[in-house]
Amino acid sequence: MSKISACIWLDTQAEEAAAFYTSIFPNSRITGTTHYTEAGKELHGKEPGSVMTVLFEAGGFSFTALNGGPYFALNPSISFFVRCENAAEVDRLWKELSTGGTVLMALDSYFFSERYGWIQDRFGVSWQLILAPESLEPRIVPSLLFVRDVCGKAEEAMNFYTSVFRRASMGEIARYGTGQEPDAADSVMYGEFSLEGRKFAAMDSAQEHTFGFNEGVSLLVDAQSQEEIDHYWKALSAVPESEQCGWLKDRYGISWQIFPDTEMNRLLQDGDEVKSTRTLEAMFTMKKIDLEGLRRAAAG
């Protein structure tokens, strides 16, 4: 798993969604499954033994599908660009993803691409399919759309994130020009930046939108030490009431999980139900993750 991945909040469809995405994207596989214990029933209303998360890779990108309950609705504020080799690939993925979905931008030719479309699929996840044979890697790129009260802050956010992460860089920025109202001239039409080897896109939009960043899609940082957890938590957390179980919300409203993901998944998938229960019970009492506390709970 890469240092930064994405978590998709669903009600009960994690297994179905993971199976679907790994069936339509190349270079895909399911990598693991975790289950709720008694500790999860009170927090999420899920029965012990039911699936909590499905870990999977789609197009080489790492995802976690979470059965978290009907609390957060997915929306297009965080979407995923899919770079396609030819028009046939764009059309094939569009057909798969549009079944039961909602078209956000019609599949068509635009000034920036000969073949492009933006679709929200039946699970609520948003995908931007684009013909890009000259730059196929990475195939999937998360895109952050800054709207409403954070519109105009995309470049500020890119600079902020690249200051927080230790291996980070800014990429090219295409800006709105005069006469493209309601978007302000020089705001970000499309920008790229890189965090820990993971490429991201960011865009401002002053168009009328009814959504904004929420917990529907969160960004998961696999922190390997308490020092890392403390560093990212201190730098990113800006909404104290949103801190829970390693989750936080930053100054722009984007949700992050600062989490020893590799170690936690190993603990929760080793088949020892007692150890898993102790680990989850400990995690559910935490705001910022106490790594040694999790290890002590797992050890009993």
Side-chain angles (χ1 to χ4, degrees):
M1 176 176 285
S2 62
K3 184 74 173 178
I4 304 177
S5 57
C7 178
I8 300 167
W9 187 295
L10 300 164
D11 183 2
T12 60
Q13 312 99 319
E15 289 175 287
E16 180 187 354
F20 173 62
Y21 296 135
T22 54
S23 73
I24 67 170
F25 288 107
N27 190 20
S28 300
R29 63 191 180 115
I30 292 174
T31 58
T33 304
T34 67
H35 296 81
Y36 280 104
T37 66
E38 286 288 348
K41 188 171 185 177
E42 181 177 347
L43 188 64
H44 291 288
K46 300 296 185 179
E47 290 300 319
S50 63
V51 170
M52 181 170 67
T53 62
V54 180
L55 317 176
F56 67 99
E57 295 175 359
F61 189 95
S62 298
F63 291 91
T64 298
L66 168 67
N67 282 330
Y71 304 111
F72 301 109
L74 288 154
N75 69 57
S77 59
I78 299 183
S79 60
F80 299 93
F81 270 99
V82 183
R83 298 172 171 181
C84 298
E85 187 171 6
N86 50 52
E89 184 179 15
V90 176
D91 293 352
R92 179 185 66 80
L93 288 172
W94 181 267
K95 182 179 179 180
E96 296 279 6
L97 293 166
S98 61
T99 302
T102 302
V103 175
L104 302 178
M105 287 182 69
L107 183 62
D108 208 338
S109 175
Y110 294 85
F111 74 91
F112 54 84
S113 176
E114 294 179 10
R115 198 71 171 157
Y116 168 88
W118 192 339
I119 189 79
Q120 188 170 21
D121 69 25
R122 67 179 183 268
F123 301 105
V125 180
S126 294
W127 306 89
Q128 298 189 61
L129 309 179
I130 189 165
L131 177 63
E134 71 288 348
S135 57
L136 289 174
E137 296 301 330
R139 280 296 186 108
I140 294 182
V141 175
S143 178
L144 314 177
L145 184 63
F146 290 77
V147 301
R148 301 169 67 183
D149 59 331
V150 292
C151 178
K153 295 187 177 182
E155 186 171 9
E156 175 191 314
M158 289 190 286
N159 282 314
F160 172 62
Y161 296 138
T162 54
S163 75
V164 169
F165 287 84
R166 290 164 176 152
R167 289 196 307 122
S169 62
M170 293 285 286
E172 294 184 0
I173 297 178
R175 302 181 185 279
Y176 291 106
T178 56
Q180 291 187 282
E181 291 81 3
D183 292 291
D186 292 330
S187 61
V188 176
M189 180 186 296
Y190 177 85
E192 291 187 346
F193 61 106
S194 178
L195 306 177
E196 299 294 339
R198 171 71 68 202
K199 185 170 284 188
F200 291 83
M203 300 181 287
D204 287 312
S205 176
Q207 301 291 331
E208 185 175 348
H209 297 289
T210 59
F211 56 81
F213 296 124
N214 71 355
E215 291 83 349
V217 176
S218 58
L219 301 176
L220 197 158
V221 180
D222 187 8
Q224 300 294 316
S225 67
Q226 192 65 47
E227 178 187 10
E228 271 198 291
I229 292 171
D230 294 347
H231 167 75
Y232 293 121
W233 195 270
K234 181 179 180 181
L236 291 170
S237 185
V239 185
E241 56 269 29
S242 295
E243 297 176 352
Q244 185 177 16
C245 303
W247 290 62
L248 62 83
K249 190 168 289 191
D250 71 20
R251 64 185 68 177
Y252 306 104
I254 295 174
S255 292
W256 298 78
Q257 297 181 58
I258 311 302
F259 208 70
D261 199 45
T262 300
E263 184 165 352
M264 274 294 290
N265 287 323
R266 178 178 57 79
L267 291 171
L268 295 177
Q269 295 181 70
D270 74 351
D272 187 330
E273 187 174 344
V274 174
K275 181 187 292 186
S276 297
T277 298
R278 289 196 303 258
T279 303
L280 282 179
E281 285 177 345
M283 184 195 73
F284 287 148
T285 66
M286 298 175 181
K287 291 186 176 182
K288 180 177 71 174
I289 295 297
D290 173 3
L291 188 51
E292 284 303 316
L294 286 181
R295 289 168 177 166
R296 287 195 300 270

